[in-house]
Amino acid sequence: MSSVGPAPAGPTEGAAIAPPARRPHPAGPSSRRNRRGSRAERLAPFVLLAPAVLIIVALRLWPLLLGVNFSFTGDGDRNGMWVGLDNYLTLLDDPLFRTALGNVGLLVLLLPVAVAIPGLLATFVYLRVPGHRVYRGVYFFPAVLSPVIVGAIFNLLLAYDGPLNTVLGGVGLGPVDWLGDPDVAIFAVVGVHVWATFGMALVVFLAGFATLDPSLLDAAKVDGASLPQTIRHVIIPALSRTIQFVFVTTMIGMLTSMFGLLYVMTSGGPEGSTYLPEYYVWIQQGQMNQPALASAASTALFLIMLVVGLVQIGILRRAGKEE
Amino acid sequence: MKQRTLWSAALVMGLALAAGCGSAAGPGSPSGNSGDKLVVWDWKSGDAKAAGYVEKAKADFAKKHPGVEVEFVAQPFDQYYTLLGAAIQSGKGPDVILFNGGGQIRDRADALAPLDTYVAEDRQRLAGWDAFTKDGKTYAAPVTLQGHPLYYNKALYEQAGLNPDAPAKTWDDFVKNCGVITEKTGAKCFALGNKEGIGIQFFLSALGSATLTPQEYDDWIAGKRNWASSDVKRIFELWKQANDAGLNNDGANSTAMFNDAFAVFQSGKAANVIGLMSDVGHWKDFAEFLGADEVGVMDAPLVNPAATPSLPYDGGIGYGVAKWAKDPKVAADLVRSLTSTDALSAFYADGGAIASDTTIDLSEGGPAVKTIVSEVKTGKPALHVALSSKTVDLMGRLSQQLLSGSITVDEVVQQLAASDKTG
């Protein structure tokens, strides 16, 4: 390295000497203009990025930090006081919050079902079962309804004296208190959520099918593969990236946008069995007047989402490399 | 090239500045402290049913202070206390504020000006002051009264061959009558909605005065609650027994009190319901379906011979004056206009609320209203209103467990006692 030392001196010296020599030339002003132009160009990216960065910092990161900070302070008489991890200990001690976390686990377990349903239906539409054009439209229809409307509809359908129980009674099955039985209610709500949102996943799957090479299907048919075999060995491998994408979006949807349904259908009940963290946050903040505890719950929810998100990004990246 | 860069830079700067403005201004920062303008926050004035009330109150105030402008800002109720919390934190906001009585106003009394000197003249005319009082100081003037009468459907009683004008005096007779009604008409005894855990609140308060001794009742309201007492346990046992005996409509845990349970009563599928006095689920709503003469109100049937049944009620909503109001005297005058007899008459007639004013003419209201109003004088604060919102929330969930049979009354009482102690 040291032997190379003197070498750069050459050009530097040259550069130091060169400008004075050029100065009298008429090219001078133009080079100044170039320099000014390059400064504008150097600043342009920052200026262009500023709105996005400002919005993210001012409306996302700053409130996030405030919220995390707030979660270490107390409520009520201890408002504004530093209480360390008290709020988090309260959370862990609260059976309601533990139920909410348990329900998050349940959602993760139910995720494959929520992905398989649109996947299977999209397969049938793609394979042109009779009436597939109608189904394509019908399946998407619930996706345009707001959760409140969906919740209200299913409140009527699933009522104890509602149509579903009447039908069940007609075939000799006892009535089920769909939204009033703590062991059933969470499945009823998740089921409705899947019904209300699978249309979007279905469209994504259909888009994935559009990239599928039909000759693979023909080859499978020639080889005498049954439908399950075709799905298992042709469709699933070919659509692996689509499936992973749907997994990610469905998970996010389940964890962040069930509030409306919960609010309308069960209000977190019966017996608190359908609480999810975001509903818990809302109750503590809006109903119990405990904003600091709610901040702690939000921070916990944020950490859960962060872990889930990072795991999913990791999976997606690995899948990307495989291809 | 350079021109374009400059333009886009300018555009971007403009956008950035606009974005900055949007976040800095924030929602709801009324400039209500400008001296000759009063800003009122509530969740009522946007309602068409309250239009007459607001108009009368404004007219009354304009007579006293012609130069002062009044602006009503109707906030959505589900966000109301969140928005108000933000205003209180920043120390500026509306001059006159609508509150629910009880915990909601007591929790925020620090932000309000005591009104005792301004409203002295209204003391006798209005009822329900207790719900707006903390440590002996009054922070708002009551507009409506809220409570939990036991309503019954006179037509069903008649159909079952019972005398609709002589409802049962004791719990045992009440249950017996219900048996007859169910047998003869197919209607259930109680319309109950406990999806949100509200059913138990109404039940506790409606049957409390028929179960607790007067001493126990007053102690409860004063904060000396003995959860281990057999009379307190008795209320929760009744709650469970009533459901086990099939007195309630099916699926009470999945029926919303607002308004599915009331719909059960209105459609004649249940003979009794514990309802409200004001706003919704009350005599006026029921009268629209059943006819004003068919809606009866009975005293809580006696469970404990040592008890004295009374109407459970509190001040429902009331207007207070913010601490930061420039001229509290003028703001208090607006509160007085908002609780004037004229304005409250309009509220009673249009909105169907039992107004706090005891001098209002009720001759048009039907028998239920007359019974309720006649019982206001002997009434007492409702039991559940005295509990913290945390305990009430827990009670809701435990009551659902009682109905589904996954918990015992002893465990319920223990958990509630523990919650009541801490919170």
Side-chain angles (χ1 to χ4, degrees):
Chain A
M1 278 298 269
S2 60
S3 66
V4 194
T12 319
E13 264 165 48
I17 296 160
R22 271 183 211 158
R23 209 167 269 168
H25 288 275
S30 95
S31 90
R32 214 174 293 154
R33 201 184 300 146
N34 271 346
R35 224 178 290 154
R36 203 189 297 156
S38 72
R39 194 183 303 149
E41 265 168 44
R42 245 183 294 137
L43 284 179
F46 297 106
V47 174
L48 289 170
L49 277 176
V53 171
L54 279 180
I55 287 172
I56 289 175
V57 170
L59 298 180
R60 291 269 165 140
L61 294 180
W62 179 239
L64 182 71
L65 288 177
L66 281 182
V68 172
N69 175 47
F70 204 18
S71 74
F72 293 108
T73 65
D75 283 311
D77 295 341
R78 302 199 294 170
N79 188 14
M81 274 165 57
W82 181 263
V83 299
L85 289 172
D86 268 16
N87 286 324
Y88 292 92
L89 294 178
T90 311
L91 281 184
L92 285 181
D93 213 29
D94 188 347
L96 215 49
F97 189 70
R98 290 204 298 265
T99 311
L101 288 186
N103 282 338
V104 168
L106 185 71
L107 289 183
V108 174
L109 290 181
L110 289 174
L111 191 58
V113 182
V115 174
I117 291 171
L120 263 182
L121 293 174
T123 309
F124 291 142
V125 170
Y126 178 72
L127 296 177
R128 308 218 165 134
V129 294
H132 65 277
R133 277 169 204 281
V134 178
Y135 287 126
R136 199 167 48 187
V138 169
Y139 288 155
F140 190 70
F141 180 64
V144 303
L145 296 176
S146 92
V148 175
I149 293 169
V150 171
I153 294 171
F154 276 89
N155 264 349
L156 294 175
L157 289 177
L158 299 179
Y160 193 85
D161 53 357
L164 184 59
N165 275 338
T166 313
V167 171
L168 283 182
V171 296
L173 292 170
V176 179
D177 200 356
W178 295 103
L179 301 176
D181 185 332
D183 299 327
V184 178
I186 184 72
F187 293 100
V189 177
V190 172
V192 171
H193 177 77
V194 170
W195 176 85
T197 55
F198 83 91
M200 208 53 95
L202 187 97
V203 170
V204 175
F205 271 118
L206 286 178
F209 274 117
T211 65
L212 184 64
D213 187 353
S215 59
L216 289 176
L217 285 178
D218 293 337
K221 211 178 280 175
V222 171
D223 289 344
S226 65
L227 180 65
Q229 281 172 325
T230 314
I231 293 175
R232 167 81 185 76
H233 296 290
V234 180
I235 292 178
I236 290 182
L239 289 186
S240 64
R241 294 205 72 182
T242 310
I243 293 171
Q244 274 150 4
F245 177 76
V246 173
F247 255 98
V248 174
T249 50
T250 309
M251 188 71 234
I252 293 171
M254 275 186 160
L255 285 181
T256 59
S257 56
M258 294 244 310
F259 180 85
L261 272 187
L262 285 180
Y263 184 80
V264 175
M265 290 181 69
T266 64
S267 313
E271 306 171 22
S273 64
T274 56
Y275 262 73
L276 283 178
E278 51 171 349
Y279 191 79
Y280 183 90
V281 169
W282 181 79
I283 286 281
Q284 294 301 340
Q285 151 71 21
Q287 306 301 104
M288 301 291 154
N289 206 9
Q290 292 187 307
L293 186 64
S295 299
S298 320
T299 308
L301 177 61
F302 171 70
L303 290 178
I304 294 171
M305 292 303 296
L306 197 66
V307 170
V308 170
L310 286 177
V311 168
Q312 286 175 331
I313 287 173
I315 293 173
L316 278 181
R317 204 172 273 163
R318 210 178 52 197
K321 273 182 197 148
E322 271 168 20
E323 283 201 5
Chain B
M1 184 62 197
K2 181 188 161 199
Q3 200 86 350
R4 206 185 289 171
T5 318
L6 275 178
W7 268 114
S8 47
L11 180 73
V12 160
M13 287 300 278
L15 280 176
L17 285 175
C21 286
S23 65
S29 52
S31 49
N33 300 331
S34 58
D36 50 358
K37 186 178 172 195
L38 288 174
V39 175
V40 183
W41 270 22
D42 59 29
W43 60 89
K44 284 274 174 197
S45 59
D47 190 347
K49 283 180 181 171
Y53 164 69
V54 170
E55 213 166 279
K56 288 256 168 64
K58 269 186 173 173
D60 187 75
F61 182 70
K63 262 188 269 167
K64 289 186 246 173
H65 299 280
V68 182
E69 194 191 331
V70 179
E71 186 194 350
F72 282 83
V73 182
Q75 306 281 10
F77 182 65
D78 53 351
Q79 298 291 326
Y80 188 76
Y81 288 105
T82 313
L83 294 171
L84 192 59
I88 289 173
Q89 284 280 333
S90 66
K92 58 184 175 191
D95 305 287
V96 173
I97 310 167
L98 184 64
F99 276 101
N100 291 95
Q104 299 288 25
I105 189 166
R106 290 197 186 110
D107 287 353
R108 297 165 178 88
D110 293 349
L112 298 173
L115 296 181
D116 299 82
T117 50
Y118 307 116
V119 297
E121 277 176 54
D122 297 332
R123 282 273 164 201
Q124 286 308 309
R125 186 172 55 87
L126 304 179
W129 292 94
D130 285 354
F132 304 103
T133 304
K134 186 183 179 184
D135 302 333
K137 283 183 188 155
T138 306
Y139 290 97
V143 172
T144 64
L145 303 179
Q146 189 60 287
H148 304 282
L150 177 51
Y151 293 97
Y152 66 102
N153 182 340
K154 287 189 177 180
L156 284 177
Y157 272 72
E158 208 159 48
Q159 249 175 282
L162 301 164
N163 180 0
D165 296 319
K169 292 275 178 226
T170 68
W171 176 258
D172 290 337
D173 287 346
F174 177 79
V175 174
K176 218 177 284 167
N177 285 353
C178 276
V180 177
I181 291 172
T182 306
E183 194 185 316
K184 293 265 173 67
T185 68
K188 292 281 187 180
C189 183
F190 277 117
L192 177 67
N194 201 40
K195 181 173 175 170
E196 313 93 331
I198 292 176
I200 184 69
Q201 300 170 23
F202 288 21
F203 191 87
L204 171 68
S205 286
L207 287 172
S209 68
T211 315
L212 304 186
T213 64
Q215 185 60 45
E216 281 177 319
Y217 200 103
D218 295 343
D219 283 351
W220 175 293
I221 298 299
K224 288 176 280 179
R225 291 181 273 277
N226 179 9
W227 291 91
S229 101
S230 60
D231 288 338
V232 172
K233 268 192 216 169
R234 185 90 181 93
I235 300 177
F236 290 96
E237 278 161 11
L238 282 181
W239 166 260
K240 187 172 166 50
Q241 285 163 8
N243 195 63
D244 292 349
L247 298 188
N248 300 326
N249 52 279
D250 292 328
N253 271 350
S254 57
T255 306
M257 193 86 210
F258 302 98
N259 289 312
D260 295 350
F262 296 134
V264 170
F265 178 71
Q266 285 162 1
S267 58
K269 287 182 192 153
N272 306 282
V273 71
I274 300 165
L276 293 169
M277 281 159 60
S278 298
D279 301 326
V280 289
H282 63 334
W283 46 276
K284 189 163 182 170
D285 284 358
F286 300 152
E288 272 173 36
F289 287 85
L290 302 175
D293 291 331
E294 300 298 338
V295 181
V297 171
M298 68 169 92
D299 283 344
L302 207 60
V303 179
N304 175 3
T308 323
S310 60
L311 177 71
Y313 84 94
D314 296 86
I317 56 174
Y319 284 100
V321 173
K323 200 173 53 180
W324 54 78
K326 260 205 176 152
D327 190 343
K329 169 91 181 63
V330 178
D333 273 347
L334 179 56
V335 169
R336 292 199 60 202
S337 293
L338 284 161
T339 52
S340 66
T341 303
D342 256 10
L344 291 178
S345 298
F347 206 153
Y348 155 75
D350 302 341
I354 300 286
S356 57
D357 192 322
T358 49
T359 63
I360 290 178
D361 175 28
L362 301 164
S363 49
E364 304 277 293
V369 176
K370 277 180 210 150
T371 315
I372 292 172
V373 172
S374 72
E375 287 178 1
V376 160
K377 279 203 186 81
T378 55
K380 289 184 176 183
L383 295 181
H384 78 269
V385 177
L387 301 174
S388 74
S389 46
K390 204 171 120 192
T391 305
V392 167
D393 184 63
L394 177 65
M395 183 168 75
R397 272 177 279 127
L398 294 176
S399 73
Q400 292 170 334
Q401 285 183 277
L402 274 178
L403 293 190
S404 70
S406 57
I407 200 169
T408 66
V409 170
D410 283 327
E411 286 170 315
V412 167
V413 176
Q414 267 170 22
Q415 287 197 35
L416 288 174
S419 167
D420 195 25
K421 213 169 274 168
T422 60

